[in-house]
């Protein structure tokens, strides 16, 4: 699966792409759903690491994520991630695009 964490090491977000290299919100939703089912809340927006997370917390999270990725890659065919979601697929309900405040020459 094409899944990676992007951003600064202490403030990252998960990015999921389908087999054509396109952003896949349904794959992301499936990964997050399966993480929650395994007792780990992984926020859909940004994920923050802090000193309150122990090495064991991080190792456990990575172990569960690896298991989930293996399970998804073996059972999902043809990028049909949404059929494994247990609910309504996520949708963008609001976005905000701000214009630059400083003119770059």
């Amino acid at each position: 699966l094409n899944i990676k964490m992007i951003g600064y090491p202490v403030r990252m977000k998960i990015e999921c792409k389908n087999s054509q290299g396109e952003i896949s919100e349904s794959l992301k939703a499936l990964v997050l759903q399966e993480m929650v089912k395994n007792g780990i809340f992984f926020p859909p927006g940004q994920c923050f690491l802090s000193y309150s997370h122990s090495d064991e917390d991080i190792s456990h999270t990575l172990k569960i994520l690896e298991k989930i990725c293996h399970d998804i890659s073996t059972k999902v065919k043809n990028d049909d991630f949404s059929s494994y979601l247990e609910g309504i697929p996520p949708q963008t309900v609001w976005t905000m695009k701000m214009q630059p405040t400083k003119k770059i020459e």
Side-chain angles (χ1 to χ4, degrees):
L1 295 176
N2 188 350
I3 300 173
K4 64 181 176 179
M5 298 299 290
I6 59 172
Y8 296 108
V10 296
R11 186 184 67 226
M12 301 173 285
K13 67 178 185 173
I14 189 169
E15 180 182 83
C16 301
K17 295 183 179 180
N18 62 22
S19 60
Q20 287 77 40
E22 302 162 334
I23 297 293
S24 175
E25 292 299 326
S26 59
L27 173 56
K28 179 178 177 179
L30 182 57
V31 169
L32 298 178
Q33 168 188 287
E34 297 304 307
M35 292 292 282
V36 168
K37 287 169 61 176
N38 282 272
I40 298 172
F41 175 69
F42 216 82
Q46 292 190 338
C47 176
F48 296 91
L49 289 178
S50 73
Y51 286 111
S52 66
H53 296 105
S54 68
D55 289 343
E56 292 82 21
D57 293 332
I58 296 167
S59 294
H60 178 67
T61 301
L62 293 174
K63 180 180 172 185
I64 296 297
L65 182 58
E66 186 175 331
K67 174 193 171 296
I68 288 168
C69 288
H70 177 266
D71 292 347
I72 291 172
S73 66
T74 56
K75 74 177 162 183
V76 177
K77 303 296 180 218
N78 301 320
D79 292 338
D80 187 21
F81 307 110
S82 59
S83 66
Y84 291 90
L85 292 175
E86 298 173 12
I88 300 168
Q91 300 173 353
T92 301
V93 294
W94 184 80
T95 61
M96 183 172 106
K97 295 184 179 182
M98 296 178 64
Q99 297 297 319
T101 57
K102 189 176 190 181
K103 186 175 181 179
I104 301 173
E105 295 181 35

